[in-house]
Each structure stands twice: as C-alpha cells, then as structure tokens.
Amino acid sequence: MEPVLIVLVVLVVVAFIALIKTIQVIPQASAAIVERFGRYTRTLNAGLNIVVPFIDRVRNRIDLREQVVPFPPQPVITQDNLVVNIDTVIYYQVTDPRAATYEVASYIQAIEQLTVTTLRNIIGSMDLESTLTSREVINAGLRGVLDEATGKWGIRVNRVELKAIEPPTSIQDSMEKQMRAERDKRAAILTAEGNRQSQILRAEGEKQAEVLKAEGEAQAAVLRADGEAAAIRTVFEAIHEGDADQKLLAYQYLQTLPELAKGDANKLWIIPSEVGDALKGLGGAFTGLTGNGGGANGGAVAAPSAAPAAPPASSQVPIDPAAGPRPLDTDTKGSARPRIDPLREYRKIDPE
C-alpha cells in the first residue's frame, strides 16, 4: 500500500504543477512571449491564457505602458569647444513585444547609447548660446532620430526632454556677470525713462499752472477794469445828475489836499492850476458869508439881491508879509498875478 500511496501523491503534485503551468494570467497593459522548445510561438495578451505545460515556456513579461527613463549627465562638446553636461529623460512605449524581445538584446541600454550619440551630433553643430536657447530644436532632433532607429525594435519614443544643461563653472560665472550687467543696464534705462517722464509731466504741470494763472490774472484784470469803468461811469453820471457847481468842486479839492500832504516822504507835491480858479469862487463865497453875517448879535444873513461884483485881482490875493515874495502867475489876459497856494489859502479861511 505504501508504494501505491507514494505514486498517487506524486501524480497529484505533478498534475497540480501542470495545471499551474497550463493557466497563465496576464495583467492589463502587459504581454508575455511564449516559446515552444526555444522557438517563438505566440504572444499572450492580458487575461486568462492556456499553454501546454512542460512544452511551452513563458520567456518574459513586457510592460506595455509608457515608460520614463532618466539618463545620467553626459559630457558633450559644443561647436565653440566648450564641454557641457546634459541630462536627458526619455519617454518611450513598447508597441511590439516580439520585436522588443528578439530584435535587440536590451532596448533600454540601446536607447541610452543612441541618445548619447545623437545628442553629441546635434550639440556638436551648435555653439553654447544656441545650445542654451534651443531646447525645443534639440528635443525635436533627438526624437526624430530615436523614433526612426527604435521603430524596428518595437519601441515608440514619445518625448525627449533635456533636464539640465550645465556649462563649465568659468562660463557660468561669465554668464552671470553678463546677465547682471544686462539687468543693470535695463534698470538704468528704466530709471532714466522714469526720470524723463516725471520731468516731462512736471514741466507740463507747471506749464498748465502758468497758463491757468495767466488766464486767471487776465480775467481778474478784465473784471477789475470793468469794475473801475463802472464805478467811474457811476460817479460821472452822479456828478452830471447832481449838477455840481464850482463851489462843490473846490470843496472836494480842499478835502483831498490833506490826504496828499500825509506822509514824511512827501516833500514836494504839485497842485493843478484849476484849484486856484476853484478856490477863488470858494474864497469869495466864504468872504461874503463872513462879511454879511458877522454881528455880535449873530443876526441872520440876508441874501443879496444880486451877485456882488468881483473885486480886483489884487484884492483877491491876500499877501502874507512873513511868507516872503511869491512867484507870479499869468492870467488869461496875460497880466502878472501872484501864484495862489491852495493849502495856505485853505488854512487862512478855515484855521481848524
């Protein structure tokens, strides 16, 4: 019984192992290569697959998703003989598992070496400045070469990116100094532009202020002139409507004379010649009033029936012996007569 039991156990184990090898479950976005006696038979897709146990063998499983492979920095010489280190990243996807398995031994290593050689060919035809500013051109060139070369390997290169381009340290220092100088230059230009604009705006503001001030002064002068003209017109009309006589004008002259004499700086002032004629009438009027009204009893002064005859010219000019000789004026008839000082006559008439 024991040998039979051992054989049954062995058969069960072999059947279990055969069942496991017969059923192959492939995950989604994966593929498997099946070989029969070392020869490619078929490709297993995602799902449940049945193979012949101990005859068919699953060689390897391939991920069909897009893969990202970063490559270490590679030294590359530019056209102007400068060594730069370039980091690259490759985005690829396996489209044919059979070709990726049998057409190339290691497609990852093959892609890396192809990227390095292609990058050196592209960068070798460009100077440093073009290399630093032409990433899109380099990416497009790498992608075109890699896509064409890896197509027969069953691989599609979707994108090629340059992570970093590192020039030598001395070149980096020179570039930093150049960039700093450019920034300082732009800052100086912007500052000068700002100062120019501010000066222009300030000048425009001052100009407008002066214009407005001049316009305001002109309008004020016009209004002031209009006011003075209206005042003069009003006074002139009032004088004409009041029918002012010679006595009123003489009285106004006498009121104005003290104002002219005010001030310590007034050493010499000029009296119009018309004042003498006005004071003659006013002096005659005051002389008539003092001569007719003067009693001690303060009686009323009777109005004369007719205007008194004008006294001779010599009697109209009072002479003050203490004043000394006075210059003579010439009247309308050409005869010489003493010059009348209106202020002195006013003080003689009205001592107060």
Side-chain angles (χ1 to χ4, degrees):
M1 293 296 294
E2 293 181 359
V4 176
L5 181 61
I6 293 173
V7 171
L8 289 176
V9 172
V10 171
L11 290 176
V12 171
V13 172
V14 170
F16 183 74
I17 295 174
L19 181 62
I20 292 176
K21 288 184 173 292
T22 301
I23 300 174
Q24 296 289 333
V25 178
I26 306 301
Q28 183 66 33
S30 298
I33 301 299
V34 178
E35 293 179 349
R36 180 172 293 178
F37 300 112
R39 182 180 180 182
Y40 170 76
T41 302
R42 61 191 173 117
T43 301
L44 300 181
N45 296 320
L48 181 63
N49 296 275
I50 304 299
V51 298
V52 179
F54 306 107
I55 296 176
D56 294 339
R57 182 176 67 90
V58 177
R59 180 173 178 174
N60 59 352
R61 298 175 185 269
I62 299 175
D63 193 349
L64 301 179
R65 295 174 297 178
E66 185 174 5
Q67 303 294 320
V68 180
V69 179
F71 295 145
Q74 299 295 329
V76 181
I77 301 176
T78 61
Q79 186 179 10
D80 47 359
N81 297 325
L82 294 175
V83 179
V84 294
N85 294 323
I86 301 179
D87 296 347
T88 55
V89 178
I90 303 297
Y91 295 81
Y92 72 94
Q93 185 177 10
V94 177
T95 58
D96 187 357
R98 178 183 175 277
T101 303
Y102 297 105
E103 295 295 334
V104 63
S106 175
Y107 55 84
I108 297 296
Q109 186 178 0
I111 292 174
E112 180 180 0
Q113 296 301 321
L114 183 60
T115 301
V116 171
T117 56
T118 305
L119 190 61
R120 288 177 178 175
N121 292 332
I122 295 175
I123 300 300
S125 61
M126 303 172 64
D127 56 5
L128 179 61
E129 185 176 358
S130 301
T131 302
L132 296 175
T133 58
S134 303
R135 292 184 176 231
E136 293 296 331
V137 177
I138 298 173
N139 293 339
L142 279 174
R143 179 183 175 185
V145 174
L146 291 175
D147 197 13
E148 181 181 358
T150 58
K152 62 181 180 179
W153 299 340
I155 297 173
R156 181 177 68 246
V157 177
N158 297 325
R159 296 186 64 184
V160 179
E161 294 293 338
L162 301 181
K163 289 197 305 182
I165 301 176
E166 298 179 359
T169 306
S170 59
I171 301 299
Q172 291 182 6
D173 296 338
S174 300
M175 293 173 60
E176 290 178 359
K177 292 179 180 179
Q178 182 180 2
M179 294 302 298
R180 191 179 301 111
E182 289 291 335
R183 291 189 179 94
D184 294 341
K185 176 183 176 182
R186 281 182 287 182
I189 291 174
L190 292 177
T191 303
E193 288 289 337
N195 293 332
R196 187 174 70 90
Q197 291 294 333
S198 63
Q199 292 178 1
I200 291 174
L201 293 177
R202 190 180 299 109
E204 290 290 337
E206 293 177 355
K207 176 183 176 182
Q208 293 180 2
E210 292 294 334
V211 170
L212 293 177
K213 182 178 179 181
E215 291 179 354
E217 292 178 354
Q219 294 180 359
V222 171
L223 294 177
R224 195 180 300 111
D226 292 341
E228 293 178 357
I232 293 173
R233 191 180 303 108
T234 303
V235 173
F236 185 76
E237 292 177 355
I239 291 174
H240 279 274
E241 289 178 358
D243 193 13
D245 55 359
Q246 194 72 12
K247 298 177 181 180
L248 178 61
L249 295 178
Y251 181 70
Q252 291 294 331
Y253 274 126
L254 293 176
Q255 285 184 338
T256 307
L257 289 178
E259 297 296 331
L260 296 176
K262 286 182 178 179
D264 298 335
N266 294 333
K267 302 301 181 180
L268 177 65
W269 39 283
I270 302 172
I271 303 299
S273 60
E274 290 83 358
V275 177
D277 298 335
L279 288 178
K280 287 193 299 184
L282 186 61
F286 276 103
T287 303
L289 290 175
T290 54
N292 295 327
N297 53 0
V301 179
S305 59
S314 60
S315 62
Q316 292 183 1
V317 181
I319 299 175
D320 187 3
R326 293 185 299 175
L328 300 179
D329 286 340
T330 305
D331 56 7
T332 56
K333 294 181 180 181
S335 59
R337 58 183 178 83
R339 183 177 296 173
I340 301 174
D341 189 350
L343 182 58
R344 185 181 298 174
E345 297 298 332
Y346 170 71
R347 288 175 178 174
K348 288 181 180 181
I349 297 173
D350 189 4
E352 294 296 326

